[in-house]
Structure formats: structure tokens, C-alpha cells
Amino acid sequence: MSKKIAVQSVPHHDGSELYVSNAAPKIGDSVTLKVRVPLNYLFQEAYVRVYEDAEPRTYPLKLVEVRGQERWYRVSIKIHNIHTIYRFVFVGEGKYEWLNAYGLTDHDVHSNNDFRIVAIPANPKWIHSSVFYQIFPDRFARSGKGGISGLSGCDDATSCSNSMELADDDGADSGVICCQGDGKGT
């Protein structure tokens, strides 16, 4: 059973740009990781544990700045795998605490809650202002009418003037979408 630790007095790290220098690195790139530690959180040594080709490696954190009531530590790691998982450990007299995405624990826990960096290209900037629609052709087929059931003017796809044929990945017809207005689904 782990002991409960007050949130205000624990180290913090997350995947934001404040804590990770490059969220979409390439294999071979170096990424700088930062950890914010309150002054009242005491320890002697801190490390990051990262898996490189399925083998755990540890690298010491270095104190880089003291700001107000907090200390900032950092470490640079080289990206060896597409999926890089890591966590931090704080070691002191009678203390051995792990910081991962789940939080701070006083014992070693499974790696499925470790922080992750994925070495794939970043999403294009336009994706953040886009809207995506998902179409379910099987639902049109199950409606028994071939159109969108319950929409005025679209109960029968054969009589709808604004319709689009849907095709499966192999090119076979899989349904009809009936649109009102400008034929674009609006």
C-alpha cells in the first residue's frame, strides 16, 4: 500500500512544451526533459529512467534554476526507439519515490503509466482548427430506406436530389448519404 503525498509538495513533470523540449522528435534526436521540484521536497539524488531498446538506463538530473519556491532540474536523453518511455526517481535517506504520469509513488510501479515520447512527425498546424466527421455506412443500410431516417426530404434516397454515393475501401457501393441544402451536408 502506498502512502498519500500532498500535491503541493511534490515534483511535477508533464508532456507539455514547458517540460519536454521536442514532443515530436526523430530517432537519434536529443530531447531535454525538465522537472519542477518544490523547495520543501527533500532528496539527495534524482534520475530519469528511460528504456533504450528494451533495456532500462538511468541518467542523473541536474539542477539548472531556483525560482521562488521551486527548483528546476533537467536531463537530456537521446531518442533510440519510436516509443520512448521514461520516469523519474528521487532518492534520499529512507526515500525512494518514482514520478510517472500517474503521479508520485513510494514504490516501483508498472511502466504502463510512464511518460511517453513518440518519434513521429508532429501533426500539421491546420489540424488544430479542423473539424472531422465520421460516416457510418452500415447505419444507412440498417435503416431499411437507404437514406437518413427521420430527416425531412431524405427518407427515400431515390427521391432525394442531393445525395452522395458511399463506397467501401474496395470501391463497392455501401450506402447513400442524402443531403439537404447545398449538397455538402448542411
Side-chain angles (χ1 to χ4, degrees):
M1 189 164 137
S2 67
K3 65 180 179 180
K4 189 169 176 123
I5 301 170
V7 173
Q8 299 86 350
S9 64
V10 298
H12 180 77
H13 172 84
D14 60 46
S16 71
E17 57 198 26
L18 184 61
Y19 297 94
V20 179
S21 66
N22 184 356
K26 296 178 182 138
I27 292 178
D29 287 354
S30 286
V31 174
T32 299
L33 306 172
K34 295 180 184 177
V35 181
R36 180 179 44 85
V37 181
L39 286 177
N40 63 351
Y41 182 83
L42 304 176
F43 62 96
Q44 276 92 33
E45 300 174 70
Y47 300 90
V48 65
R49 182 178 78 185
V50 59
Y51 281 89
E52 298 172 358
D53 297 323
E55 292 294 326
R57 304 275 188 259
T58 57
Y59 302 101
L61 273 68
K62 293 184 171 94
L63 177 64
V64 291
E65 184 178 1
V66 177
R67 240 191 276 170
Q69 294 298 309
E70 58 194 26
R71 295 167 287 175
W72 285 83
Y73 290 82
R74 82 170 169 213
V75 62
S76 290
I77 61 171
K78 188 171 182 181
I79 302 300
H80 291 275
N81 307 313
I82 292 176
H83 295 274
T84 300
I85 62 173
Y86 64 96
R87 69 171 74 175
F88 302 95
V89 64
F90 298 90
V91 181
E93 190 172 324
K95 176 189 286 201
Y96 201 78
E97 295 180 332
W98 294 95
L99 176 65
N100 64 9
Y102 180 75
L104 192 68
T105 58
D106 60 357
H107 61 282
D108 197 0
V109 294
H110 196 276
S111 63
N112 57 349
N113 285 317
D114 282 358
F115 297 107
R116 299 177 189 284
I117 295 176
V118 182
I120 58 172
N123 291 326
K125 292 186 187 296
W126 59 262
I127 207 162
H128 299 291
S129 61
S130 299
V131 176
F132 295 87
Y133 294 95
Q134 186 171 4
I135 300 170
F136 300 96
D138 64 313
R139 295 196 183 148
F140 295 107
R142 286 191 310 225
S143 71
K145 298 181 181 181
I148 301 174
S149 178
L151 290 180
S152 173
C154 289
D155 287 336
D156 180 8
T158 59
S159 66
C160 182
S161 60
N162 294 325
S163 63
M164 300 180 289
E165 295 288 329
L166 293 178
D168 288 337
D169 290 340
D170 62 1
D173 284 345
S174 62
V176 174
I177 295 180
C178 183
C179 306
Q180 290 186 335
D182 60 6
K184 297 178 183 169
T186 58

